[in-house]
Amino acid sequence: MMVFRKTFGIYQTNCYIVREGEQELIIDPGEGSCEWVIKSVKNARAILLTHGHFDHIYDVAALKKELKVPIFIHKNDAFFLRSDQDYMGYECCEADFMVEEGEYVYGGFKFKYHYFPGHTPGCSMIEIDDMIFSGDFLFKDSIGRWDFEYSNGFDMLKSVEKCKQLKGRYTIYPGHGESTTLERERENFDAYIRYIKSTLK
Ligand SMILES: [Zn+2]
Ligand SMILES: [Zn+2]
C-alpha cells in the first residue's frame, strides 16, 4: 500500500490518498483538495472521514460529484456534512455509510473504524493495514482539543483511556502535522489523562 499526503486550507489539514494496486481511498479531503485528489487518483473507491469538522470535509461534496464514490463517516458526525454548522462555506451532502465502530470491507479495501469521541461526537481513527489515520484525535506529541462546540471532555478522557489499550504497531497519520507511531505516542497517554482530568474539575 502507498500513502500520499498533501495539506490544505488555513489549518494545514492533511488529506491522504491510500493506494492499493490501481485503487484508492481518500481520507479527509479539506478545502482546495479536490483538484489534487482528482489528478492523483486512478480508480478512487471511497471517501473516508475521521470526523466532521469543516477543515476535513470541505471538498467532500465536490469530490463525490466528480468521482461518484460513497462517503463513510461515523454516524454521530454525519450532521456536520448535512448542514454547515459554523457557516464555514462548504457545500453540504449526505453520507452514504454512517458507520459505527467496526470493520468494513468496501471497494477491495478492508478498514476499521475505531470510535474515539470527545473532540467531536463521532470522532474516529481509521485503521487500514498497519496504518492508523487518526484525524484530530491523536497527533504527534499531542491530542485533539475538547473545548469546541460539540466537544466533550469526559468523552475525551474515556477515549484516551481506551486508546491506551490499543495493542499493536501502527504508523499514525494525523489530521494535522507529521506522522508518528502508536508506540511513540503511547508514552504520552498517562500525561494526557492527568491533564484532561485537571480540566474537568
Ligand atoms: Zn477537528
Ligand atoms: Zn482538524
Side-chain angles (χ1 to χ4, degrees), residues 160 164 186-195:
V160 177
K164 236 183 109 172
R186 253 189 217 115
E187 316 259 312
N188 301 323
F189 289 159
D190 285 328
Y192 298 151
I193 288 167
R194 280 196 302 276
Y195 180 62

Side-chain angles (χ1 to χ4, degrees), residues 50-56 119-120 123 135-137 139 144-145 148 176:
T50 59
H51 67 300
H53 275 155
F54 83 96
D55 57 314
H56 298 253
H119 175 72
T120 62
C123 201
D136 286 0
F137 174 64
F139 304 114
R145 286 170 57 175
F148 291 116
H176 304 268

Side-chain angles (χ1 to χ4, degrees), residues 129-132 166-171 181-183 186:
D129 221 19
D130 58 354
M131 305 175 284
I132 287 179
L166 196 60
K167 303 275 184 296
R169 297 162 80 93
Y170 294 94
T171 304
T181 63
L182 184 59
E183 253 174 327
R186 253 189 217 115

